Amino acid sequence: MKNKNLFIILILQLFYFGCDSTMENSESDKLHQFFADEWEKGLQNSPESASWYGDDRFNDRLNDRSLNKISTDHQDNIKTLKNLVQIKRTQLNKEDQLNYDLYKQSLIQSVESYPFKSYLIPITQLGGVHIGLPNMVELMPFDTKKDFNNYFSRLEQIPTAIQQIMEIMKRGLAEKIMPPKATIESVSEQIQKQTEIEIEESPFYKPFENIDLEISDNEKDSLTQKGVNKIEDEIFPAYRELNKFFTEEYYPNARDDFAISSIPNGTEYYQYLIKYHTTTDKTAKEIHETGLNEVDRIRTEMDNIISELKFEGTFSEFLDFLRTSPQFYYDKPEDLIEGYRAICKRVDPELSRFFGKLPRTPYGVKPIPEYQAVSSPTAYYYGPSANGERPGYFWANTYNLKMRPKYEMAVLAIHEAVPGHHLQIALANELENVPKFRKHSGHTAFVEGWGLYSESLGDEMGIYDDPYSKFGQLTYEMWRACRLVVDTGIHAFGWDRQRAIDFMAKNTAKTMFDIENEIDRYISWPGQALAYKIGELKIKEIRKNAEQILGDEFDIREFHDKLLESGSLPLDILENKMMVYVKQKSGL
């Protein structure tokens, strides 16, 4: 009898755990199918994103930019969120619970942002159809006749895309949701650079410069002439119409106020943006004070370097020296690019001392295209395709070389290339056994926090081997600390543009041209600039705690690998994950 009862208990246990496992697998299967379906839907909804990821199936299409599509997408997000919560989270394993939570958070953010109507500002000096569509050419292959036919199809759709954007801009005019006038002065010039040029100089002409197909010269000439006709007869006129509307109707009616609070529901929108970009619940006041404290701390380090250099003069005079002395500037754009490449080659061999796992995908250094350089930042990173066939690129600005000091170059290369954005984003792109959205998610506080944290690794690598480059690193850190002050100052505390410029000029060695561009960026992109310092401070806090707890057992390579192994994460989830790792390693 006793053996019989034991047998029954074992059968019941097997049945119970088997059912539980089946239920878990069932919900897990549902979730994985949900992610697969959503990814595919996203690619079809945004063919240009598919091209970015290296999926060429929809290269004959452009995104639908219409107001109707924006409304439809919002309703779809609500429906998708309802479908997701039907999946029983409690029956998922821990990894899938994380996937579930991250996707749900993303959907909620999209739904919550819709009422603020930020989509009614589709063009700024930082982006829009006048920048994005020309850049799209870089993402497309031109290896077959079909590739060229896809391209012709996209060229034919550009006038419609521009018309859709103009309709959105008109709605923005009607609802008084406009960019600040002072920040978009250069947009007309950016658009003109698409049309007041020879066709052969247009970025849209680039695929025809060297057609590498096994076809006759006559066929190549035919493809080229077809491209020329489309650019001349369809693309240029569409951009001229956009510029006419921009200069005659849109720009004159742009808002004079700088703060996002000056648009309808702007105060609430700014708090939403703080949470979105920093992945924290911090208030504008808390962030503003953090920034002021960081400015004071970094200023002390900068003063120490000035003393080390035995410079006789004030802090302000030292900054003027850095901004004006010819020794700190290149004369030729190609020398600047080669200078960046040389720095990257110095960093590459150092990576194995700090990382156990490095990305397979390579990266390169390129100049920012001339048509967008005038209002672009000093540099930015352009990620690789999902399949790794297109490398990542560190784009450097060669416009106005007297505003591109050499002492900034090492820290900038480290931030944008390695071990900054390229290393982190390429590793995320190469993640295995995760939903595709995890490879390409970009929580700003993590991504930019990592970039800023990486700048400090340059110090540990010995890259800042002279006082000026070290001062450049501190200038960049100071710049991000100042961002906390000026972004919140502008959007929450009534600062005007000049006050923000003066604060930045007083505390950083950045050139005035750069400072003005940066302040306009913070005005146009509220909250985004807060993510850098907030993310960096959290990553440094996590590392400090790990070093204190682990002592001699702390392994910097293992720590970094663990930090990056799950891709981009909100800061609270990152901290919890790393504390689990530390406790397990320490035996606590």
Side-chain angles (χ1 to χ4, degrees), residues 48 62-66 119 121-137 154-155 157-169 187 190-195 202-204 235 238-243 245-246 371-372:
E48 293 164 42
L62 290 181
N63 293 357
D64 183 348
R65 291 168 163 83
S66 66
Y119 56 84
I121 303 179
I123 279 184
T124 69
Q125 81 280 15
L126 300 175
V129 289
H130 60 307
I131 291 175
L133 290 178
N135 282 351
M136 174 194 68
V137 181
R154 277 187 162 172
L155 291 179
Q157 295 167 56
I158 285 177
T160 298
I162 290 175
Q163 285 296 325
Q164 290 173 337
I165 290 300
M166 288 169 60
E167 287 301 312
I168 292 173
M169 295 165 76
V187 170
Q190 290 174 330
I191 300 172
Q192 288 173 22
K193 284 183 179 291
Q194 300 294 332
T195 57
S202 169
F204 293 109
I235 307 304
Y239 275 111
R240 291 190 187 107
E241 184 181 359
L242 173 64
N243 194 43
F245 166 72
F246 180 87
Y371 61 84
Q372 70 184 80

Short mmCIF file of all heavy atoms in Angstrom, two decimals, residues 48 62-66 119 121-137 154-155 157-169 187 190-195 202-204 235 238-243 245-246 371-372:
data_model
loop_
_atom_site.label_atom_id
_atom_site.label_comp_id
_atom_site.label_asym_id
_atom_site.label_seq_id
_atom_site.Cartn_x
_atom_site.Cartn_y
_atom_site.Cartn_z
N GLU A 48 11.60 51.59 -44.92
CA GLU A 48 12.91 52.24 -44.78
C GLU A 48 13.67 51.67 -43.58
O GLU A 48 14.89 51.55 -43.60
CB GLU A 48 12.72 53.74 -44.66
CG GLU A 48 12.20 54.37 -45.95
CD GLU A 48 11.66 55.77 -45.73
OE1 GLU A 48 12.29 56.56 -45.00
OE2 GLU A 48 10.59 56.09 -46.30
N LEU A 62 8.58 53.31 -49.95
CA LEU A 62 8.90 54.26 -48.90
C LEU A 62 7.84 54.16 -47.80
O LEU A 62 6.76 53.61 -48.01
CB LEU A 62 8.91 55.69 -49.44
CG LEU A 62 10.05 56.09 -50.38
CD1 LEU A 62 9.91 57.55 -50.79
CD2 LEU A 62 11.41 55.86 -49.74
N ASN A 63 8.17 54.69 -46.64
CA ASN A 63 7.20 54.73 -45.54
C ASN A 63 6.01 55.59 -45.94
O ASN A 63 6.15 56.60 -46.64
CB ASN A 63 7.83 55.33 -44.29
CG ASN A 63 8.91 54.46 -43.70
OD1 ASN A 63 9.18 53.36 -44.18
ND2 ASN A 63 9.55 54.94 -42.64
N ASP A 64 4.84 55.20 -45.47
CA ASP A 64 3.65 56.05 -45.57
C ASP A 64 3.74 57.06 -44.44
O ASP A 64 3.72 56.71 -43.26
CB ASP A 64 2.39 55.18 -45.42
CG ASP A 64 1.10 55.98 -45.57
OD1 ASP A 64 1.17 57.23 -45.56
OD2 ASP A 64 0.03 55.36 -45.68
N ARG A 65 3.88 58.34 -44.79
CA ARG A 65 4.07 59.39 -43.79
C ARG A 65 2.79 60.19 -43.53
O ARG A 65 2.84 61.24 -42.88
CB ARG A 65 5.18 60.34 -44.25
CG ARG A 65 6.57 59.71 -44.23
CD ARG A 65 7.59 60.58 -44.97
NE ARG A 65 8.96 60.22 -44.63
CZ ARG A 65 9.64 59.23 -45.20
NH1 ARG A 65 9.06 58.48 -46.13
NH2 ARG A 65 10.88 58.96 -44.84
N SER A 66 1.66 59.72 -44.00
CA SER A 66 0.42 60.50 -43.94
C SER A 66 -0.13 60.59 -42.51
O SER A 66 0.15 59.74 -41.66
CB SER A 66 -0.64 59.87 -44.84
OG SER A 66 -1.02 58.59 -44.35
N TYR A 119 4.47 64.38 -33.52
CA TYR A 119 4.55 64.04 -34.94
C TYR A 119 4.21 65.24 -35.83
O TYR A 119 4.50 65.22 -37.04
CB TYR A 119 3.63 62.86 -35.28
CG TYR A 119 2.18 63.07 -34.91
CD1 TYR A 119 1.32 63.75 -35.77
CD2 TYR A 119 1.65 62.56 -33.73
CE1 TYR A 119 -0.02 63.95 -35.44
CE2 TYR A 119 0.33 62.75 -33.39
CZ TYR A 119 -0.50 63.44 -34.25
OH TYR A 119 -1.82 63.64 -33.92
N ILE A 121 5.68 67.95 -35.76
CA ILE A 121 6.93 68.65 -36.08
C ILE A 121 7.83 67.65 -36.82
O ILE A 121 8.73 67.05 -36.23
CB ILE A 121 7.62 69.18 -34.81
CG1 ILE A 121 6.68 70.10 -34.03
CG2 ILE A 121 8.91 69.93 -35.15
CD1 ILE A 121 7.27 70.66 -32.74
N PRO A 122 7.59 67.43 -38.11
CA PRO A 122 8.32 66.39 -38.85
C PRO A 122 9.65 66.85 -39.43
O PRO A 122 10.40 66.03 -39.96
CB PRO A 122 7.35 66.03 -39.98
CG PRO A 122 6.66 67.33 -40.27
CD PRO A 122 6.54 68.05 -38.96
N ILE A 123 9.94 68.15 -39.33
CA ILE A 123 11.19 68.67 -39.88
C ILE A 123 11.85 69.60 -38.87
O ILE A 123 11.20 70.50 -38.33
CB ILE A 123 10.95 69.43 -41.20
CG1 ILE A 123 10.83 68.45 -42.37
CG2 ILE A 123 12.06 70.43 -41.49
CD1 ILE A 123 10.69 69.10 -43.72
N THR A 124 13.11 69.36 -38.60
CA THR A 124 13.94 70.28 -37.81
C THR A 124 15.29 70.35 -38.49
O THR A 124 15.53 69.70 -39.52
CB THR A 124 14.13 69.80 -36.36
OG1 THR A 124 14.96 68.62 -36.36
CG2 THR A 124 12.80 69.48 -35.69
N GLN A 125 16.20 71.11 -37.90
CA GLN A 125 17.56 71.17 -38.45
C GLN A 125 18.29 69.85 -38.27
O GLN A 125 19.34 69.62 -38.90
CB GLN A 125 18.35 72.32 -37.80
CG GLN A 125 18.94 72.03 -36.43
CD GLN A 125 17.93 72.13 -35.28
OE1 GLN A 125 16.72 72.15 -35.50
NE2 GLN A 125 18.44 72.20 -34.06
N LEU A 126 17.75 68.95 -37.44
CA LEU A 126 18.41 67.68 -37.15
C LEU A 126 17.93 66.53 -38.02
O LEU A 126 18.61 65.51 -38.14
CB LEU A 126 18.20 67.31 -35.68
CG LEU A 126 18.75 68.28 -34.65
CD1 LEU A 126 18.35 67.85 -33.25
CD2 LEU A 126 20.25 68.41 -34.76
N GLY A 127 16.74 66.67 -38.60
CA GLY A 127 16.24 65.55 -39.38
C GLY A 127 14.94 65.86 -40.08
O GLY A 127 14.26 66.85 -39.80
N GLY A 128 14.57 64.98 -41.00
CA GLY A 128 13.35 65.12 -41.79
C GLY A 128 13.60 64.55 -43.17
O GLY A 128 14.66 63.98 -43.46
N VAL A 129 12.64 64.74 -44.07
CA VAL A 129 12.78 64.17 -45.42
C VAL A 129 13.94 64.79 -46.18
O VAL A 129 14.44 64.21 -47.15
CB VAL A 129 11.48 64.35 -46.24
CG1 VAL A 129 10.39 63.44 -45.72
CG2 VAL A 129 11.03 65.81 -46.25
N HIS A 130 14.36 65.99 -45.77
CA HIS A 130 15.46 66.65 -46.48
C HIS A 130 16.81 66.05 -46.11
O HIS A 130 17.80 66.29 -46.80
CB HIS A 130 15.46 68.15 -46.17
CG HIS A 130 15.61 68.49 -44.72
ND1 HIS A 130 14.79 67.96 -43.75
CD2 HIS A 130 16.48 69.32 -44.06
CE1 HIS A 130 15.14 68.44 -42.57
NE2 HIS A 130 16.16 69.26 -42.73
N ILE A 131 16.85 65.26 -45.03
CA ILE A 131 18.08 64.59 -44.60
C ILE A 131 17.93 63.08 -44.70
O ILE A 131 18.79 62.38 -45.21
CB ILE A 131 18.46 65.01 -43.17
CG1 ILE A 131 18.90 66.48 -43.15
CG2 ILE A 131 19.57 64.12 -42.61
CD1 ILE A 131 19.17 67.02 -41.75
N GLY A 132 16.82 62.57 -44.20
CA GLY A 132 16.62 61.12 -44.13
C GLY A 132 16.55 60.44 -45.48
O GLY A 132 17.14 59.37 -45.68
N LEU A 133 15.83 61.04 -46.44
CA LEU A 133 15.68 60.38 -47.73
C LEU A 133 17.00 60.35 -48.52
O LEU A 133 17.33 59.31 -49.10
CB LEU A 133 14.58 61.06 -48.55
CG LEU A 133 13.16 60.83 -48.00
CD1 LEU A 133 12.12 61.56 -48.85
CD2 LEU A 133 12.83 59.33 -47.96
N PRO A 134 17.79 61.42 -48.55
CA PRO A 134 19.10 61.29 -49.20
C PRO A 134 20.00 60.25 -48.53
O PRO A 134 20.72 59.51 -49.21
CB PRO A 134 19.69 62.70 -49.07
CG PRO A 134 18.51 63.60 -48.96
CD PRO A 134 17.48 62.81 -48.20
N ASN A 135 19.94 60.20 -47.19
CA ASN A 135 20.77 59.21 -46.48
C ASN A 135 20.34 57.78 -46.77
O ASN A 135 21.13 56.84 -46.63
CB ASN A 135 20.70 59.46 -44.97
CG ASN A 135 21.59 60.62 -44.53
OD1 ASN A 135 22.38 61.13 -45.32
ND2 ASN A 135 21.45 61.04 -43.30
N MET A 136 19.06 57.61 -47.15
CA MET A 136 18.54 56.28 -47.43
C MET A 136 19.34 55.58 -48.52
O MET A 136 19.46 54.35 -48.53
CB MET A 136 17.07 56.41 -47.85
CG MET A 136 16.39 55.15 -48.32
SD MET A 136 14.83 55.55 -49.14
CE MET A 136 15.41 56.39 -50.62
N VAL A 137 19.90 56.36 -49.45
CA VAL A 137 20.65 55.78 -50.56
C VAL A 137 21.80 54.92 -50.04
O VAL A 137 22.13 53.88 -50.62
CB VAL A 137 21.19 56.90 -51.47
CG1 VAL A 137 21.95 56.31 -52.65
CG2 VAL A 137 20.03 57.78 -51.96
N ARG A 154 11.40 53.89 -55.52
CA ARG A 154 11.47 54.78 -54.36
C ARG A 154 11.59 56.25 -54.79
O ARG A 154 10.98 57.13 -54.19
CB ARG A 154 12.63 54.39 -53.46
CG ARG A 154 12.28 53.25 -52.51
CD ARG A 154 13.37 52.97 -51.51
NE ARG A 154 12.82 52.19 -50.39
CZ ARG A 154 13.55 51.64 -49.43
NH1 ARG A 154 14.86 51.81 -49.42
NH2 ARG A 154 12.98 50.97 -48.45
N LEU A 155 12.40 56.51 -55.81
CA LEU A 155 12.53 57.87 -56.29
C LEU A 155 11.17 58.43 -56.72
O LEU A 155 10.85 59.60 -56.46
CB LEU A 155 13.52 57.94 -57.45
CG LEU A 155 15.00 57.69 -57.12
CD1 LEU A 155 15.85 57.78 -58.39
CD2 LEU A 155 15.51 58.68 -56.09
N GLN A 157 8.37 57.77 -55.51
CA GLN A 157 7.49 58.00 -54.35
C GLN A 157 7.92 59.19 -53.49
O GLN A 157 7.18 59.61 -52.60
CB GLN A 157 7.45 56.74 -53.49
CG GLN A 157 6.83 55.53 -54.17
CD GLN A 157 7.08 54.24 -53.41
OE1 GLN A 157 6.75 54.12 -52.24
NE2 GLN A 157 7.70 53.27 -54.08
N ILE A 158 9.10 59.74 -53.75
CA ILE A 158 9.59 60.84 -52.92
C ILE A 158 8.69 62.07 -52.98
O ILE A 158 8.41 62.68 -51.95
CB ILE A 158 11.06 61.17 -53.28
CG1 ILE A 158 11.97 60.08 -52.70
CG2 ILE A 158 11.47 62.54 -52.75
CD1 ILE A 158 13.44 60.24 -53.04
N PRO A 159 8.20 62.50 -54.16
CA PRO A 159 7.28 63.64 -54.17
C PRO A 159 6.05 63.43 -53.29
O PRO A 159 5.61 64.37 -52.61
CB PRO A 159 6.90 63.77 -55.65
CG PRO A 159 8.09 63.22 -56.38
CD PRO A 159 8.55 62.07 -55.54
N THR A 160 5.51 62.21 -53.27
CA THR A 160 4.36 61.92 -52.40
C THR A 160 4.76 62.03 -50.93
O THR A 160 4.01 62.60 -50.12
CB THR A 160 3.81 60.51 -52.69
OG1 THR A 160 3.36 60.45 -54.04
CG2 THR A 160 2.66 60.17 -51.75
N ALA A 161 5.92 61.50 -50.60
CA ALA A 161 6.39 61.58 -49.21
C ALA A 161 6.53 63.03 -48.79
O ALA A 161 6.15 63.41 -47.66
CB ALA A 161 7.72 60.85 -49.06
N ILE A 162 7.06 63.88 -49.67
CA ILE A 162 7.23 65.29 -49.35
C ILE A 162 5.88 65.98 -49.20
O ILE A 162 5.68 66.81 -48.30
CB ILE A 162 8.12 65.97 -50.41
CG1 ILE A 162 9.56 65.46 -50.26
CG2 ILE A 162 8.07 67.49 -50.28
CD1 ILE A 162 10.51 65.97 -51.32
N GLN A 163 4.92 65.63 -50.03
CA GLN A 163 3.57 66.19 -49.91
C GLN A 163 2.94 65.79 -48.58
O GLN A 163 2.28 66.62 -47.91
CB GLN A 163 2.69 65.70 -51.06
CG GLN A 163 2.97 66.37 -52.40
CD GLN A 163 2.66 67.86 -52.39
OE1 GLN A 163 1.72 68.32 -51.74
NE2 GLN A 163 3.47 68.63 -53.11
N GLN A 164 3.14 64.55 -48.16
CA GLN A 164 2.59 64.11 -46.87
C GLN A 164 3.21 64.90 -45.72
O GLN A 164 2.50 65.29 -44.78
CB GLN A 164 2.86 62.61 -46.70
CG GLN A 164 2.04 61.73 -47.62
CD GLN A 164 2.43 60.26 -47.55
OE1 GLN A 164 3.55 59.93 -47.15
NE2 GLN A 164 1.53 59.38 -47.93
N ILE A 165 4.50 65.14 -45.79
CA ILE A 165 5.17 65.92 -44.74
C ILE A 165 4.64 67.35 -44.72
O ILE A 165 4.43 67.94 -43.65
CB ILE A 165 6.70 65.89 -44.95
CG1 ILE A 165 7.25 64.49 -44.65
CG2 ILE A 165 7.38 66.93 -44.07
CD1 ILE A 165 7.00 64.00 -43.23
N MET A 166 4.40 67.92 -45.88
CA MET A 166 3.87 69.28 -45.93
C MET A 166 2.46 69.35 -45.33
O MET A 166 2.11 70.33 -44.65
CB MET A 166 3.87 69.79 -47.37
CG MET A 166 5.27 70.09 -47.89
SD MET A 166 5.36 70.39 -49.68
CE MET A 166 4.29 71.79 -49.87
N GLU A 167 1.67 68.32 -45.53
CA GLU A 167 0.34 68.28 -44.92
C GLU A 167 0.44 68.24 -43.39
O GLU A 167 -0.32 68.90 -42.68
CB GLU A 167 -0.45 67.06 -45.42
CG GLU A 167 -0.93 67.17 -46.85
CD GLU A 167 -1.83 68.39 -47.06
OE1 GLU A 167 -2.76 68.59 -46.25
OE2 GLU A 167 -1.58 69.14 -48.03
N ILE A 168 1.39 67.48 -42.88
CA ILE A 168 1.60 67.41 -41.44
C ILE A 168 2.06 68.77 -40.92
O ILE A 168 1.60 69.24 -39.86
CB ILE A 168 2.64 66.32 -41.10
CG1 ILE A 168 2.07 64.93 -41.40
CG2 ILE A 168 3.07 66.41 -39.64
CD1 ILE A 168 3.07 63.81 -41.26
N MET A 169 2.96 69.42 -41.63
CA MET A 169 3.44 70.73 -41.22
C MET A 169 2.30 71.75 -41.19
O MET A 169 2.23 72.60 -40.29
CB MET A 169 4.57 71.19 -42.16
CG MET A 169 5.82 70.33 -42.06
SD MET A 169 6.99 70.57 -43.43
CE MET A 169 7.74 72.13 -42.97
N VAL A 187 17.38 75.26 -42.04
CA VAL A 187 16.68 74.20 -42.76
C VAL A 187 16.53 74.54 -44.24
O VAL A 187 16.71 73.69 -45.12
CB VAL A 187 15.32 73.90 -42.12
CG1 VAL A 187 14.50 72.97 -43.00
CG2 VAL A 187 15.52 73.27 -40.74
N GLN A 190 19.60 73.74 -45.94
CA GLN A 190 19.76 72.29 -46.08
C GLN A 190 18.95 71.77 -47.27
O GLN A 190 19.42 70.90 -48.01
CB GLN A 190 19.30 71.60 -44.79
CG GLN A 190 20.22 71.83 -43.60
CD GLN A 190 19.64 71.24 -42.32
OE1 GLN A 190 18.42 71.16 -42.16
NE2 GLN A 190 20.50 70.84 -41.42
N ILE A 191 17.74 72.28 -47.44
CA ILE A 191 16.90 71.84 -48.56
C ILE A 191 17.49 72.31 -49.88
O ILE A 191 17.53 71.57 -50.86
CB ILE A 191 15.45 72.35 -48.39
CG1 ILE A 191 14.84 71.82 -47.09
CG2 ILE A 191 14.59 71.92 -49.58
CD1 ILE A 191 13.49 72.42 -46.74
N GLN A 192 17.95 73.56 -49.90
CA GLN A 192 18.52 74.11 -51.14
C GLN A 192 19.72 73.30 -51.60
O GLN A 192 19.95 73.15 -52.81
CB GLN A 192 18.91 75.57 -50.93
CG GLN A 192 17.73 76.52 -50.83
CD GLN A 192 18.16 77.93 -50.45
OE1 GLN A 192 19.31 78.30 -50.65
NE2 GLN A 192 17.23 78.71 -49.91
N LYS A 193 20.48 72.79 -50.66
CA LYS A 193 21.66 72.00 -51.03
C LYS A 193 21.26 70.70 -51.74
O LYS A 193 22.12 70.00 -52.29
CB LYS A 193 22.50 71.70 -49.79
CG LYS A 193 23.33 72.89 -49.31
CD LYS A 193 24.20 72.53 -48.12
CE LYS A 193 25.05 73.71 -47.67
NZ LYS A 193 26.09 74.08 -48.63
N GLN A 194 19.97 70.36 -51.74
CA GLN A 194 19.48 69.20 -52.47
C GLN A 194 19.14 69.54 -53.91
O GLN A 194 18.98 68.64 -54.74
CB GLN A 194 18.24 68.62 -51.79
CG GLN A 194 18.43 68.17 -50.38
CD GLN A 194 19.36 66.99 -50.30
OE1 GLN A 194 19.46 66.20 -51.23
NE2 GLN A 194 20.06 66.87 -49.20
N THR A 195 18.99 70.83 -54.20
CA THR A 195 18.46 71.21 -55.51
C THR A 195 19.35 72.18 -56.27
O THR A 195 19.40 72.13 -57.50
CB THR A 195 17.07 71.85 -55.34
OG1 THR A 195 17.16 72.98 -54.47
CG2 THR A 195 16.09 70.85 -54.74
N SER A 202 24.30 65.35 -56.61
CA SER A 202 23.20 64.98 -55.71
C SER A 202 23.47 63.61 -55.10
O SER A 202 23.94 62.68 -55.77
CB SER A 202 21.88 64.92 -56.49
OG SER A 202 20.86 64.31 -55.71
N PRO A 203 23.16 63.45 -53.79
CA PRO A 203 23.30 62.11 -53.19
C PRO A 203 22.40 61.08 -53.87
O PRO A 203 22.70 59.88 -53.84
CB PRO A 203 22.89 62.33 -51.73
CG PRO A 203 22.14 63.62 -51.71
CD PRO A 203 22.69 64.45 -52.81
N PHE A 204 21.31 61.54 -54.52
CA PHE A 204 20.44 60.60 -55.22
C PHE A 204 21.09 60.06 -56.50
O PHE A 204 20.65 59.04 -57.04
CB PHE A 204 19.11 61.28 -55.58
CG PHE A 204 18.27 61.63 -54.37
CD1 PHE A 204 18.10 62.95 -53.98
CD2 PHE A 204 17.66 60.64 -53.63
CE1 PHE A 204 17.34 63.27 -52.87
CE2 PHE A 204 16.89 60.95 -52.51
CZ PHE A 204 16.73 62.27 -52.14
N ILE A 235 12.44 64.73 -58.32
CA ILE A 235 13.01 64.97 -56.99
C ILE A 235 13.28 66.46 -56.76
O ILE A 235 12.81 67.04 -55.77
CB ILE A 235 14.31 64.17 -56.78
CG1 ILE A 235 14.10 62.68 -57.10
CG2 ILE A 235 14.82 64.36 -55.35
CD1 ILE A 235 13.00 62.03 -56.31
N ALA A 238 10.15 68.60 -56.29
CA ALA A 238 9.47 68.33 -55.02
C ALA A 238 10.17 69.04 -53.87
O ALA A 238 9.52 69.63 -52.99
CB ALA A 238 9.42 66.82 -54.77
N TYR A 239 11.50 69.02 -53.88
CA TYR A 239 12.24 69.71 -52.83
C TYR A 239 12.12 71.22 -52.95
O TYR A 239 12.09 71.94 -51.95
CB TYR A 239 13.71 69.28 -52.82
CG TYR A 239 13.96 68.01 -52.03
CD1 TYR A 239 14.32 66.82 -52.65
CD2 TYR A 239 13.82 68.00 -50.64
CE1 TYR A 239 14.54 65.66 -51.92
CE2 TYR A 239 14.04 66.85 -49.91
CZ TYR A 239 14.39 65.67 -50.55
OH TYR A 239 14.60 64.53 -49.83
N ARG A 240 12.05 71.73 -54.19
CA ARG A 240 11.86 73.17 -54.36
C ARG A 240 10.51 73.61 -53.82
O ARG A 240 10.38 74.67 -53.21
CB ARG A 240 11.99 73.53 -55.85
CG ARG A 240 13.41 73.39 -56.39
CD ARG A 240 13.55 73.97 -57.79
NE ARG A 240 14.88 73.69 -58.34
CZ ARG A 240 15.12 72.79 -59.30
NH1 ARG A 240 14.11 72.11 -59.83
NH2 ARG A 240 16.35 72.59 -59.73
N GLU A 241 9.49 72.78 -54.04
CA GLU A 241 8.16 73.10 -53.50
C GLU A 241 8.18 73.08 -51.98
O GLU A 241 7.58 73.95 -51.33
CB GLU A 241 7.13 72.11 -54.03
CG GLU A 241 5.71 72.43 -53.59
CD GLU A 241 4.67 71.44 -54.10
OE1 GLU A 241 5.06 70.49 -54.83
OE2 GLU A 241 3.48 71.61 -53.77
N LEU A 242 8.88 72.11 -51.41
CA LEU A 242 9.01 72.05 -49.96
C LEU A 242 9.70 73.30 -49.43
O LEU A 242 9.26 73.89 -48.43
CB LEU A 242 9.80 70.80 -49.56
CG LEU A 242 10.17 70.68 -48.06
CD1 LEU A 242 8.92 70.56 -47.20
CD2 LEU A 242 11.10 69.47 -47.84
N ASN A 243 10.76 73.71 -50.09
CA ASN A 243 11.49 74.89 -49.63
C ASN A 243 10.66 76.15 -49.74
O ASN A 243 10.71 77.03 -48.87
CB ASN A 243 12.80 75.04 -50.41
CG ASN A 243 13.75 76.01 -49.75
OD1 ASN A 243 13.91 75.99 -48.53
ND2 ASN A 243 14.37 76.88 -50.55
N PHE A 245 7.37 76.35 -49.53
CA PHE A 245 6.41 76.32 -48.43
C PHE A 245 7.09 76.63 -47.10
O PHE A 245 6.57 77.39 -46.28
CB PHE A 245 5.75 74.94 -48.36
CG PHE A 245 4.99 74.69 -47.08
CD1 PHE A 245 3.79 75.34 -46.83
CD2 PHE A 245 5.49 73.82 -46.12
CE1 PHE A 245 3.09 75.13 -45.64
CE2 PHE A 245 4.82 73.60 -44.93
CZ PHE A 245 3.61 74.26 -44.70
N PHE A 246 8.28 76.06 -46.91
CA PHE A 246 9.00 76.28 -45.66
C PHE A 246 9.33 77.75 -45.46
O PHE A 246 9.11 78.31 -44.38
CB PHE A 246 10.29 75.44 -45.63
CG PHE A 246 11.07 75.60 -44.36
CD1 PHE A 246 10.80 74.82 -43.26
CD2 PHE A 246 12.08 76.57 -44.26
CE1 PHE A 246 11.51 74.98 -42.07
CE2 PHE A 246 12.79 76.74 -43.09
CZ PHE A 246 12.50 75.94 -41.99
N TYR A 371 25.76 68.40 -47.41
CA TYR A 371 24.44 69.04 -47.40
C TYR A 371 23.82 69.09 -46.01
O TYR A 371 22.89 69.85 -45.77
CB TYR A 371 23.49 68.33 -48.37
CG TYR A 371 23.22 66.88 -48.06
CD1 TYR A 371 22.26 66.50 -47.14
CD2 TYR A 371 23.93 65.87 -48.70
CE1 TYR A 371 22.02 65.16 -46.86
CE2 TYR A 371 23.70 64.54 -48.43
CZ TYR A 371 22.74 64.19 -47.53
OH TYR A 371 22.50 62.86 -47.24
N GLN A 372 24.29 68.28 -45.07
CA GLN A 372 23.72 68.32 -43.73
C GLN A 372 24.73 68.75 -42.67
O GLN A 372 24.38 68.94 -41.51
CB GLN A 372 23.12 66.96 -43.36
CG GLN A 372 24.15 65.86 -43.13
CD GLN A 372 23.52 64.51 -42.86
OE1 GLN A 372 23.10 63.82 -43.78
NE2 GLN A 372 23.44 64.12 -41.61
#
